[in-house]
Amino acid sequence: MFPRHFLFGTATSATQVEGGCTNTDWYDFARRPGRIKGGDTPEIACDQWSRWPEDVALQQRLGMTTHRLSIEWARVEPRPGEIDAAALDHYRAVLGALRDAGIEPMVTLHHFSLPRWVRDAGGLLADALPERLARYALRVVSALGDLCSLWVTINEPSVLVAQGYMLGAWPPGVQSPVTAIRAHHRLLEAHVAMYRAAHAADAQGRARVGVAHHVRVVQPERPRRPGDLAATALMRRTFNEAFGRALTEGKLYGPLDVLSRSKRGFRVADARGTQDFLGINYYSRDVVRFSAARAAEMFVARGIPEGAEVSDLGWEIYPEGLGEVLRAWYARAKIPVYVTENGVADAADTRRGRFLVDHLAQVEAAIADGVDVRGYYHWSLLDNFEWAEGYAARFGLVEVDYATQERRVRPSGELYARIARERALPGPMRR
Ligand code: BGC
């Protein structure tokens, strides 16, 4: 049984579902040949910009009590300093409709995409990024703070930095670990500025502000090999923990600290305590080994255990990891936790039901052990634009027919609705 006030919901992001915004770095990036599988672009996506009332009604019918969505910065501030009142009105309408449907919103201010002008002015590396994001956060929270109290400043800083600046698979397509470390530092500074701005803008003192951290389980492939142990430690300390621990401890992992010192006067110590809740996005486990051939990836080669069950994207399905991650991070932060994302690419919907039950069982057990988990957001409500993977990867509880934009609830969606309604997992499906 889940606690009375536990929230059940789904998560989405603007670029992945809205369609119709041509003013972002992702829009341009997707038009470059060979960047996105199948040549897909976010141009239409799920057309949620116009179909949102249907999607709110769908969530209501599924008995959802919360929803995590993001605001497209490029819509709200299409040119530097110019706020589009109509875009803010649109989001006001969406948030109002969610509230009327009994669905508590959680809003992400920055979910991967940048306005084109921000990209052109240096993107994540610009000295002015923290001021730019803070100013935007201030405007949005001032305009919408009466309708929303749960705010995420930045979605998955470590994923954004790794994909965009180390692996080069996402915009801006850079492959440089040192540049990635600088981008990471700038995002940390930006988060602190956004956290303060969101609180300053929140007239009623109701805002709860956090980060959605992407956390993986990382284990050595050969536990006796010093190289594999070193690769494991490096991936844990950088990708997995650096950002989160800067917020809990006010310190950065030593090598990152040395490489990212700046003259700007931002002190990592100021990051301590700048989250009111802990957002955890959990998907999978990596088994890693040292690889001399992977200098560009800090000598870390990632794999999965032999024979493991995987998603359509080849990611291992490892529910125990969610329990592990929740306990470890709660012990560190001791603040309320939300599972801000968890889901699986499964077009046939043959694994998603089992996935849901097994992961929610981990959440339930963590709560029984005293971890203060307040809600769970399944990724995702709908199939959507899965970044460089395009539309082929299907994460939705609801299937989208992209030719007609018809939505069809998958069996796993009905199962989730039942779990949310009963606040309990179906007995026969428990392991
Ligand atoms: C991101 C989502 C993404 C999902 C599945 C997370 O890394 O926040 O935008 O679609 O994982 O890959």
Side-chain angles (χ1 to χ4, degrees), residues 16 111-112 155-156 281 283 315 341 379 386-387 395:
Q16 294 179 272
H111 196 124
F112 297 158
N155 181 66
E156 299 189 340
N281 293 2
Y283 285 89
W315 304 355
E341 283 180 38
W379 186 273
E386 176 54 28
W387 310 112
F395 278 89

Side-chain angles (χ1 to χ4, degrees), residues 50-64:
S50 35
R51 291 171 196 265
W52 64 268
E54 184 187 341
D55 292 341
V56 172
L58 196 55
Q59 293 173 62
Q60 188 175 28
R61 162 158 116 58
L62 294 175
M64 300 290 99

